Amino acid sequence: MPGTLLVIGGAESHDAGDDAILERFVSLAGGSDAQLVVIATASEAPAQREKEYVEVFHRLGVERVTPVRLESREDANGEPAVGAIERATGVFFTGGDQLRITTAVGGSKVDSALHARLSDGMVLAGTSAGAAMMSSTMILGGSIASVSTSSVQTGPGLEFLPGVLIDMHFAERGRLNRLLSAIAMFPHELGLGIDENTAILVDTDAAVFEVLGAGAVTVIDAGPARRINCPAADQPIALWGVQLHVLPAGHRFNLTERTPMKRSEEDHAD
Amino acid sequence: MPGTLLVIGGAESHDAGDDAILERFVSLAGGSDAQLVVIATASEAPAQREKEYVEVFHRLGVERVTPVRLESREDANGEPAVGAIERATGVFFTGGDQLRITTAVGGSKVDSALHARLSDGMVLAGTSAGAAMMSSTMILGGSIASVSTSSVQTGPGLEFLPGVLIDMHFAERGRLNRLLSAIAMFPHELGLGIDENTAILVDTDAAVFEVLGAGAVTVIDAGPARRINCPAADQPIALWGVQLHVLPAGHRFNLTERTPMKRSEEDHAD
């Protein structure tokens, strides 16, 4: 059974009756039988974030929810954390600063355990910073003011979803330019701009994702670009012939072929 | 001689030594022999805007700069305004609210005079609201939060540049979604997102534009889109296979063929 990734663009709704994304996470992780781990390492107020998610997962019918506090490399190499991951059917990374995740977790025993559990079929979810860190190359920060090599900073992520570059809060923070800047420099990566309260659910085996939630996922594919010119520093980048797709809930995308796919319910239609 | 349009994405620099866009306008309109008209109808503080532009055009060596105040339909049908347009070699529309321009000027004698002078070879420039009103369909307002039919309001512009939909302050205000929303509904129009302190210089005869200024022009072409689904109201729109180009200064674009072109200095290269 392939592992499942749930990559959320931030600010997913926690309200009862309007929490489809978190409900989907719970359901994929086993519903009331789920054993969940919440990792709020990205946050500067981890206790508060842990409390929030424990409460919402309890409300969604999961009894066993364990916050795992990873504040140091020592924590991330410690038996308690590794044991919790090994028992988990679902792990949730909260938002905050993605560098706090990679510096604490990258290359640790928890990192290895997460990859192993994902291969075993676990559900790994992350929102905002917890989403950004999922790809091989992640966006660390940047500016929306122009498309230039200085408009975006990238670095290695935790490699749960290779081949993509994920940006979050995409529409809400007007981040097209910083994603285009990154994709112009690294066109072998596919750019995924995920709106708030919106997610992609990735079947890692099939390399197909489906969009969930209220907003859309903007896919930027510079593979077919006929011209990319990346001058130094803050000089504007030229990009000719980028493919762009806007995919709302229900739409699917094949990450290998880089093409949108019909929605499941349309498989036998037209 | 074909007329020239200078369509500026707002906030063009007025600083001495950093005023390339306005300098280009002056130079195209005849340099020190130019006879310029400034129309600040879009603004709620027209006197202040007029003063600003008169000052900068004087500094750029033009003696004859006439602010033409069009506060009513009566003004826009009056002989003084029409006479000023007929004598002008260049007309500049300031920013503000594009509806103030269309409601005062649309269908008036000034409107006709502007079109006639443009055909005769005049330079017509506009920034921000003065840029938005140039196309046949203009964006009136909208939201950046999603791609949906309710994310953008459009209406008829003054039709100086048919076939395009212009959005301005594009990168700075993160307006991809509202431009995509408009283009999804009206894919026969080409979307042009113009950054601040950035402009397109349009040769209306050849239907070719060149990019000027500090930022870039983002071209959204939904012509080749394989799928566009526009559900009602605020439901997210689906768009598959939109072409996107990012064109910084020096890049040219053929509006008829909807293709980027090499820069002038590259014509005899590769």
Side-chain angles (χ1 to χ4, degrees), chain B residues 73-113:
Chain B
R73 307 279 311 167
E74 204 179 349
D75 292 341
N77 281 309
E79 174 43 38
V82 172
I85 304 294
E86 283 172 348
R87 287 184 298 273
T89 59
V91 172
F92 194 98
F93 276 84
T94 74
D97 178 349
Q98 44 268 50
L99 267 186
R100 294 172 63 98
I101 301 175
T102 55
T103 53
V105 178
S108 69
K109 289 184 181 167
V110 159
D111 189 357
S112 304

Side-chain angles (χ1 to χ4, degrees), chain A residues 4-178:
Chain A
T4 302
L5 294 171
L6 183 64
V7 189
I8 311 167
E12 75 284 354
S13 172
H14 291 199
D15 300 340
D18 181 31
D19 46 12
I21 292 174
L22 296 180
E23 208 175 357
R24 186 72 171 266
F25 170 65
V26 163
S27 145
L28 288 164
S32 57
D33 293 329
Q35 189 144 342
L36 302 182
V37 162
V38 174
I39 299 177
T41 300
S43 173
E44 287 185 12
Q48 191 189 321
R49 283 276 167 280
E50 288 166 1
K51 186 165 172 290
E52 278 174 39
Y53 282 94
V54 168
E55 276 174 15
V56 70
F57 292 139
H58 279 163
R59 187 172 53 69
L60 289 167
V62 185
E63 238 170 74
R64 292 175 297 178
V65 187
T66 312
V68 170
R69 187 74 62 89
L70 304 174
E71 290 188 329
S72 64
R73 306 280 311 170
E74 203 178 348
D75 292 340
N77 281 310
E79 174 43 37
V82 172
I85 303 295
E86 283 173 348
R87 286 185 299 275
T89 59
V91 172
F92 194 98
F93 276 84
T94 73
D97 178 348
Q98 44 269 50
L99 268 186
R100 294 173 63 99
I101 301 175
T102 55
T103 54
V105 177
S108 70
K109 288 183 180 168
V110 159
D111 188 356
S112 302
L114 287 166
H115 278 88
R117 287 293 298 131
L118 186 64
S119 309
D120 284 351
M122 184 186 78
V123 188
L124 176 62
T127 186
S128 192
M133 68 79 179
M134 290 219 185
S135 52
S136 303
T137 304
M138 69 176 177
I139 292 182
L140 293 170
S143 138
I144 63 162
S146 70
V147 180
S148 69
T149 58
S150 59
S151 291
V152 65
Q153 293 84 47
T154 61
L158 295 187
E159 305 191 37
F160 297 109
L161 182 58
V164 303
L165 249 169
I166 297 164
D167 210 349
M168 60 286 180
H169 308 282
F170 190 70
E172 292 76 10
R173 301 193 187 167
R175 284 178 163 170
L176 173 68
N177 273 0
R178 85 174 199 181

